[in-house]
Amino acid sequence: MKTSQIVLSTLCLVMALTFTSCVKDSLDPNVEPETEGETEEPVVPVGELEITELKIPSGFEFKTEKEVTLTINDNTSNVKYDVYAYNDEVLTGEQITYLNEENEEETDVEISVDNLNHVIFSGMPSGGKIEHTFVVPSYYEKLYIRRKEGFSYTSSIVNITSQEVIYTYSPQSGKRASAAKPMVEDYLYCVNGAGEMFQIDPVNGDYTFISDMPMGSWTAAIDQENKVLYSIGRSKPNPLMKYDMVNDTWTTIGDLGIGGPRLDYNKNDGLLYFSKNNTLYTIDPQNANILSNWKINGLHKKNGGDLAFADDGTIFLCSFSGLYKLELNGNGEYDTTRISGEDLPFEPTSMTFDSNQELWLANNGGNSNLIVMDTETGGWEYRYGPLSTSGVSFDRTINDLTTFRIFDEVTVDPDTDGDGITDSNDEYPDDPDKAFEQFTPSKYGWGTVAFEDLWPFLGDYDFNDTAVNYRFVAILNADNMAVQLDIHFEVSSDGAALTNAFGIEFESIPPSLVESVTGTVLTEGYINVAANGLEQGQDRAVVILFDNNETMLHVPTTVSVKFTNPITTAQLGIAPFNPFLIVAKDRSKEIHLPNRFRTTLGVNDTSVEGVNRDIDGNYQTDSGLPWAINIIHNFKPPKESVPINQAYNFFNQWATSGGNSYEDWYKDSTGYRNEADLKD
């Protein structure tokens, strides 16, 4: 609202005097009742009502999130859990045309999923138990719980019942190979162009998410001995990426400059073998240098597919025309022998050999099938996926496969910092005071707190006066207690002419429990800070992150809060805690979320010129409208003077239903919002 506060207040009063409505926020007390015989006004659909006409259910606080308490019971030593908010809804869109792995046009049905975008926390049982309370978007009804024991991953999808989840691990009988060779378990590692890496158990088709990739990819290959997965980015400059399977980290080795669908690792020479069209290359995995290339003769179709080494060193290659065996001829070129028939009903995108030398393939498509093929006869069957009889479907594309083998042997996994958490499970392997992390809203997501700063007067409800994107990371020790809180934030909208500050109160933490606060940006001279970085004069711990919203616009910043002693996550509280705006450098004037308490320094002054719309000081108008809203998503504020319900098509339905309808109204789903009404 790039106008002075006086002008805005005056405008509010003018609007109020001309606005007539039957709801409590109407400023016209002299609305004449209908007389007998008059024609009733037609009922206006909820979606077309002005925001001040909405009938908000009593007690609704405009929350987009819900609290969940999770208890994990597991007495196994040295196991790590990762917990995600999970939504298994699969949205099927219209047919789309896109470029495939060989830059050729393909047509397919668009599939959208939102099931593993929200990593909530990682941790290990302490005393056989993990207990955490956190928030998830209201429309999530399940959690995805991933368990890691050594290099073996398992997962479970559990329902959230009455805002509580109790998960108890029950050991299952393991897979065993024949007694004639070392016992080994196979896992199929899969990647796709959407940047997902996941694992499939070939015995039962169990799917386990492993990691988000730096870039989507058509390729994957594993160096079994060094426990490294290689992948080539799908887009220019086609980086060669390396995933450390021990430490769960990605690094980029170098840019190849060429991309394509086929990749495998040759354990005999330590090189990557990469192919596109009718050419085979070798790549040095240490520096991404292309070392040599060969021509491939006899491919009926040159696009798509994969390559894989059998245990005896034979190279098998598939393209969209099927499976081939490669053999080097006297001219230094590879000749092909076609193994599969000419009439395959699928186009293979990927393949790998398991420890039993069984060949697995996946087909092209938005919901891939896993297929097993015989390398002698070319016979095949759908093992998992929508065309199989297994009942297992992955609802995602598999663009490449590779096999990781876990042998029945002792793996050395040190504990460098001596905190009882081995390095492969420790987010901070060199710091004995830190081990795990808890995220709000998620590891890669952002939430937003957005304000109307004319409180206690009605604003224009564009919620763009000050909007702050946030991600909170609670750093936990080996006992899952918080030792530090990192607040990552950025002002995403400054629609006010007023100089506003933004603070957070930790309602269950006294100032004495905070050792230090670093990273705050205070330039205006009216915030008094104690030696530990907290605001002075407060009964509870209060951090003022910045005191001038205009200078912080689009400036990514991190504030770190360190505690004098480890505290439970229950005492830390639920992020975003008690956030508030300080308006126009008036330290007493705080704006909070609905029904949240002001801090010790905040004052509810009811004696203001004009119409005070919040006499009771609960930060909601008589009809229930708020001055602040927390959206557990990266919120795009409306343009100046565009009410939120005009920019977001289902805000009215959500608000008038008390949050039961269109719980995800703020997302960019089809038809949900009007892009022309949103800020860039």
mmCIF file of all heavy atoms in Angstrom, residues 83 85 201 249 292 331 339 373 461 464 473 486 520 631:
data_model
loop_
_atom_site.group_PDB
_atom_site.id
_atom_site.type_symbol
_atom_site.label_atom_id
_atom_site.label_comp_id
_atom_site.label_asym_id
_atom_site.label_seq_id
_atom_site.Cartn_x
_atom_site.Cartn_y
_atom_site.Cartn_z
ATOM 1 N N VAL A 83 11.305 -38.876 7.641
ATOM 2 C CA VAL A 83 9.849 -38.803 7.642
ATOM 3 C C VAL A 83 9.397 -37.695 6.693
ATOM 4 O O VAL A 83 9.918 -36.576 6.723
ATOM 5 C CB VAL A 83 9.307 -38.549 9.061
ATOM 6 C CG1 VAL A 83 7.792 -38.398 9.042
ATOM 7 C CG2 VAL A 83 9.718 -39.698 9.983
ATOM 8 N N ALA A 85 5.852 -35.786 4.767
ATOM 9 C CA ALA A 85 4.408 -35.674 4.571
ATOM 10 C C ALA A 85 4.077 -36.341 3.248
ATOM 11 O O ALA A 85 4.799 -36.195 2.267
ATOM 12 C CB ALA A 85 3.989 -34.210 4.558
ATOM 13 N N ASP A 201 12.551 -52.873 -4.556
ATOM 14 C CA ASP A 201 12.945 -54.222 -4.160
ATOM 15 C C ASP A 201 12.403 -55.193 -5.207
ATOM 16 O O ASP A 201 11.185 -55.329 -5.356
ATOM 17 C CB ASP A 201 12.358 -54.540 -2.782
ATOM 18 C CG ASP A 201 12.851 -55.867 -2.220
ATOM 19 O OD1 ASP A 201 13.253 -56.739 -3.013
ATOM 20 O OD2 ASP A 201 12.829 -56.018 -0.985
ATOM 21 N N THR A 249 25.086 -37.780 -0.367
ATOM 22 C CA THR A 249 25.409 -36.457 -0.900
ATOM 23 C C THR A 249 25.626 -36.524 -2.405
ATOM 24 O O THR A 249 26.085 -37.535 -2.941
ATOM 25 C CB THR A 249 26.689 -35.892 -0.249
ATOM 26 O OG1 THR A 249 27.773 -36.819 -0.443
ATOM 27 C CG2 THR A 249 26.479 -35.650 1.238
ATOM 28 N N SER A 292 37.057 -42.091 -25.427
ATOM 29 C CA SER A 292 37.055 -42.752 -26.733
ATOM 30 C C SER A 292 35.626 -42.981 -27.192
ATOM 31 O O SER A 292 34.683 -42.820 -26.409
ATOM 32 C CB SER A 292 37.796 -44.099 -26.658
ATOM 33 O OG SER A 292 37.246 -44.916 -25.640
ATOM 34 N N ASN A 331 37.221 -54.014 -37.225
ATOM 35 C CA ASN A 331 37.382 -52.622 -37.644
ATOM 36 C C ASN A 331 37.255 -51.642 -36.475
ATOM 37 O O ASN A 331 37.199 -50.426 -36.692
ATOM 38 C CB ASN A 331 36.338 -52.278 -38.703
ATOM 39 C CG ASN A 331 36.502 -53.103 -39.962
ATOM 40 O OD1 ASN A 331 37.633 -53.368 -40.397
ATOM 41 N ND2 ASN A 331 35.382 -53.525 -40.547
ATOM 42 N N ILE A 339 18.181 -59.584 -30.154
ATOM 43 C CA ILE A 339 17.714 -60.720 -29.359
ATOM 44 C C ILE A 339 16.191 -60.736 -29.267
ATOM 45 O O ILE A 339 15.562 -61.774 -29.452
ATOM 46 C CB ILE A 339 18.338 -60.668 -27.950
ATOM 47 C CG1 ILE A 339 19.873 -60.831 -28.064
ATOM 48 C CG2 ILE A 339 17.751 -61.747 -27.048
ATOM 49 C CD1 ILE A 339 20.589 -60.606 -26.773
ATOM 50 N N MET A 373 13.387 -59.810 -18.930
ATOM 51 C CA MET A 373 13.593 -60.380 -20.266
ATOM 52 C C MET A 373 14.726 -61.396 -20.243
ATOM 53 O O MET A 373 15.747 -61.196 -19.576
ATOM 54 C CB MET A 373 13.905 -59.275 -21.285
ATOM 55 C CG MET A 373 14.132 -59.772 -22.710
ATOM 56 S SD MET A 373 14.351 -58.445 -23.918
ATOM 57 C CE MET A 373 12.668 -57.856 -24.079
ATOM 58 N N TYR A 461 -6.984 -6.307 2.001
ATOM 59 C CA TYR A 461 -6.880 -7.769 2.007
ATOM 60 C C TYR A 461 -6.159 -8.335 0.790
ATOM 61 O O TYR A 461 -6.480 -9.408 0.310
ATOM 62 C CB TYR A 461 -8.256 -8.420 2.211
ATOM 63 C CG TYR A 461 -8.707 -8.261 3.636
ATOM 64 C CD1 TYR A 461 -9.623 -7.284 4.000
ATOM 65 C CD2 TYR A 461 -8.144 -9.058 4.630
ATOM 66 C CE1 TYR A 461 -9.988 -7.107 5.323
ATOM 67 C CE2 TYR A 461 -8.510 -8.884 5.957
ATOM 68 C CZ TYR A 461 -9.430 -7.907 6.299
ATOM 69 O OH TYR A 461 -9.768 -7.739 7.611
ATOM 70 N N ASN A 464 -0.225 -8.232 0.906
ATOM 71 C CA ASN A 464 1.104 -8.041 0.324
ATOM 72 C C ASN A 464 1.894 -6.935 1.012
ATOM 73 O O ASN A 464 2.964 -6.551 0.547
ATOM 74 C CB ASN A 464 0.998 -7.767 -1.182
ATOM 75 C CG ASN A 464 0.396 -6.408 -1.513
ATOM 76 O OD1 ASN A 464 0.321 -5.502 -0.677
ATOM 77 N ND2 ASN A 464 -0.041 -6.238 -2.752
ATOM 78 N N VAL A 473 14.888 -24.684 10.413
ATOM 79 C CA VAL A 473 15.646 -25.927 10.543
ATOM 80 C C VAL A 473 16.098 -26.049 11.993
ATOM 81 O O VAL A 473 16.974 -25.299 12.450
ATOM 82 C CB VAL A 473 16.864 -25.965 9.603
ATOM 83 C CG1 VAL A 473 17.589 -27.305 9.744
ATOM 84 C CG2 VAL A 473 16.440 -25.730 8.155
ATOM 85 N N ASP A 486 17.937 -22.666 12.996
ATOM 86 C CA ASP A 486 18.289 -21.786 11.888
ATOM 87 C C ASP A 486 17.010 -21.323 11.203
ATOM 88 O O ASP A 486 16.176 -22.151 10.800
ATOM 89 C CB ASP A 486 19.198 -22.494 10.886
ATOM 90 C CG ASP A 486 20.606 -22.697 11.424
ATOM 91 O OD1 ASP A 486 20.962 -22.044 12.428
ATOM 92 O OD2 ASP A 486 21.352 -23.518 10.851
ATOM 93 N N THR A 520 20.632 -11.285 12.589
ATOM 94 C CA THR A 520 19.541 -10.321 12.490
ATOM 95 C C THR A 520 20.021 -9.043 11.800
ATOM 96 O O THR A 520 21.209 -8.711 11.833
ATOM 97 C CB THR A 520 18.975 -9.974 13.871
ATOM 98 O OG1 THR A 520 20.037 -9.469 14.695
ATOM 99 C CG2 THR A 520 18.375 -11.198 14.535
ATOM 100 N N ILE A 631 0.763 -19.416 5.564
ATOM 101 C CA ILE A 631 0.505 -20.367 4.486
ATOM 102 C C ILE A 631 1.686 -21.315 4.411
ATOM 103 O O ILE A 631 2.822 -20.885 4.205
ATOM 104 C CB ILE A 631 0.300 -19.648 3.137
ATOM 105 C CG1 ILE A 631 -0.930 -18.736 3.243
ATOM 106 C CG2 ILE A 631 0.110 -20.638 2.009
ATOM 107 C CD1 ILE A 631 -0.786 -17.439 2.566
#
